[in-house]
Amino acid sequence: MATESVVVVGAGIVGIATAYYLVREGAAVTVVDRAPEGDKASFGNAGGIAVTEIVPASVPGLAWRVPRWLLDPLGPLAVRPTHALNLIPWLWRFSQAGAPKEAARISSALSALNNRVYEDLRPLLVETGLLGELNERGALTVYESEEGFRRDAEEWALKRDHGIAIENVTGEEAREMEPALGTIVQRAVFTPQWSHINDPKRLVDSLREWLRTRGVTFIAGDVTDISDSDAAMAQVNLADGRSIAATKVVVAAGAWSGKLSQRLGDRVLLESERGYNTTLPDPGVALGREVIFAERKFVATPLSCGLRIGGAAEFGGLHAEPNFKRSHALVTLATRYLPGLRTDGGTNWAGHRPATPDSLPVIGASPRHPNVLYAFGHGHLGLTQAATTGRLVSDLIRGAPTPIDLSPYSIGRFS
């Protein structure tokens, strides 16, 4: 790949991981981002390496729960009224993804990616000196009711069928594992293959600086479009009039990627699923691993910078102002499960997850522009699947066979 010059559009974790794998193969890499060191979903996420998450968001039976969630102004799901009409095509495809056969197909495709995660992530962390950022302690999914536990039984069975280790535990056993949990917890499931990162921001910052020392150029600029009238080269055009030529371009701009793909004539259904969290620097309780509160759809992760409590799915487009009442609501919910939690001094955050309706990322070449490749749409699994996505894109660019079939992730599925 020594003759390849590659522009990666996007300096989030997927773009950074892609740059890493390209550099390893000898490519000359430039990363372009509106704010290469600025705040991103890659910085503020809950830190989970969620290899067990192979069930699509549109699980069978979800539709019956959505109206109740939407009626709660601070519930786990919200749609901004000004964005509702724009969301209709996405929601229609989302509803189709919940059909049993389609959910099974999607789960197989997610499993194919997640089964490779540690194989691709560990070498990246080892070479960059960041293996100490990975905490392999599993995760605990807790339930406050037997009804909620039984409702998720099919999802757990599907995960087990795909080789995911699952240990059912009682509420008392859950409190032995995590003494901070209150008596509200009745049942739980331990997934030992899950892990988490100490601090997602520190990880991204460290990887970016490591890449700089290996010759990667980072450019601050707003990419307006990509052109490739020259069959051998593509050109990345910036809003300020600058342009950058390269043999390949990788679009890894997260929730903003859809605008670029559509300008290239490649239709995609991509929405910003805004998430919220609060990081408590002195929470007064200690957790040993990430805890997922299944019925309330939020998580708590013990990071080096504090206890991060996050969740929610809000659809309002890329430009709506955040509603930090959602962050506060998540902390209030957490006190029900963690009775000793101290809630003062927290830092609120909101970020745009790039969500496809079928929960599958877009990975692969543009059908119309062979010099352009896509790497976006990972939803809640950007941190989890970043290294594997980078490895796959690098394989494609150097013409090597990929270790998994990439057809399920093609942007052509939205045509």
Side-chain angles (χ1 to χ4, degrees):
M1 195 192 285
T3 59
E4 294 283 5
S5 58
V6 184
V7 172
V8 178
V9 182
I13 187 59
V14 174
I16 290 286
T18 300
Y20 164 82
Y21 271 99
L22 289 167
V23 165
R24 286 183 77 236
E25 297 298 334
V29 180
T30 300
V31 178
V32 183
D33 191 287
R34 185 182 296 106
E37 300 180 16
D39 189 21
K40 296 174 176 63
S42 301
F43 290 7
N45 63 71
I49 305 299
V51 297
T52 67
E53 296 305 286
I54 62 156
V55 179
S58 183
V59 295
L62 179 73
W64 298 103
R65 285 181 268 172
V66 167
R68 175 170 55 86
W69 289 341
L70 289 174
L71 289 172
D72 182 351
L74 297 177
L77 175 64
V79 176
R80 298 276 181 109
T82 55
H83 192 65
L85 287 178
N86 298 329
L87 198 59
I88 289 174
W90 192 97
L91 287 174
W92 171 247
R93 188 68 171 264
F94 181 80
S95 68
Q96 292 177 314
K101 285 187 178 179
E102 183 68 352
R105 181 192 69 82
I106 292 167
S107 291
S108 294
L110 286 171
S111 181
L113 284 174
N114 288 3
N115 285 345
R116 286 201 52 84
V117 163
Y118 290 118
E119 187 174 349
D120 299 317
L121 178 61
R122 281 199 186 96
L124 180 155
L125 296 176
V126 169
E127 185 173 359
T128 58
L130 293 168
L131 186 60
E133 290 295 308
L134 183 66
N135 287 284
E136 300 184 70
R137 299 173 186 167
L140 195 64
T141 300
V142 302
Y143 294 86
E144 61 184 86
S145 70
E146 285 287 339
E147 178 188 2
F149 178 74
R150 288 194 300 270
R151 186 171 54 226
D152 286 354
E154 289 187 15
E155 291 182 41
W156 289 116
L158 180 60
K159 292 179 180 182
R160 189 179 285 111
D161 289 344
H162 282 280
I164 293 168
I166 291 166
E167 301 173 22
N168 292 334
V169 299
T170 65
E172 188 59 37
E173 289 169 335
R175 282 181 286 280
E176 289 175 5
M177 296 175 69
E178 296 292 348
L181 290 171
T183 55
I184 189 175
V185 174
Q186 300 298 307
R187 297 294 297 269
V189 179
F190 177 59
T191 48
Q193 290 153 300
W194 189 295
S195 59
H196 72 270
I197 297 294
N198 275 334
D199 184 344
K201 184 180 188 305
R202 187 164 63 198
L203 176 73
V204 175
D205 287 346
S206 299
L207 286 174
R208 185 179 60 249
E209 293 312 307
W210 186 92
L211 289 170
R212 278 199 172 108
T213 67
R214 268 66 180 180
V216 175
T217 300
F218 286 81
I219 293 176
D222 190 1
V223 177
T224 55
D225 63 81
I226 301 163
S227 56
D228 60 350
S229 55
D230 182 341
M233 299 289 285
Q235 187 165 287
V236 177
N237 302 310
L238 307 185
D240 60 8
R242 290 178 293 168
S243 63
I244 309 163
T247 55
K248 300 290 183 184
V249 176
V250 180
V251 177
W256 285 265
S257 300
K259 293 182 177 180
L260 288 174
S261 71
Q262 287 171 353
R263 287 171 191 160
L264 288 163
D266 292 326
R267 180 174 185 264
V268 67
L269 291 173
L270 186 73
E271 283 290 335
S272 162
E273 183 198 330
R274 178 176 261 158
Y276 290 86
N277 67 49
T278 298
T279 304
L280 301 170
D282 185 22
V285 299
L287 295 178
R289 56 186 57 79
E290 189 162 355
V291 177
I292 299 109
F293 304 93
E295 289 147 300
R296 303 291 180 169
K297 304 299 180 187
F298 74 101
V299 305
T301 314
L303 304 180
S304 57
C305 54
L307 185 66
R308 180 161 293 168
I309 298 166
E314 181 186 62
F315 293 92
L318 291 168
H319 305 296
E321 290 295 317
N323 175 12
F324 285 114
K325 290 180 180 179
R326 294 196 166 278
S327 298
H328 302 149
L330 291 169
V331 172
T332 299
L333 276 175
T335 61
R336 297 182 54 182
Y337 293 87
L338 304 167
L341 185 67
R342 286 203 294 261
T343 63
D344 55 310
T347 300
N348 297 327
W349 181 90
H352 298 279
R353 306 185 193 103
T356 62
D358 59 7
S359 299
L360 294 175
V362 178
I363 304 172
S366 163
R368 295 173 175 80
H369 305 273
N371 294 332
V372 178
L373 295 95
Y374 296 123
F376 64 83
H378 297 78
H380 292 244
L381 298 177
L383 179 60
T384 301
Q385 296 172 347
T388 293
T389 299
R391 156 73 189 277
L392 294 170
V393 170
S394 175
D395 286 346
L396 288 172
I397 288 177
R398 64 192 179 97
T402 57
I404 63 172
D405 174 20
L406 296 187
S407 60
Y409 323 107
S410 169
I411 199 169
R413 71 188 192 267
F414 298 106
S415 297

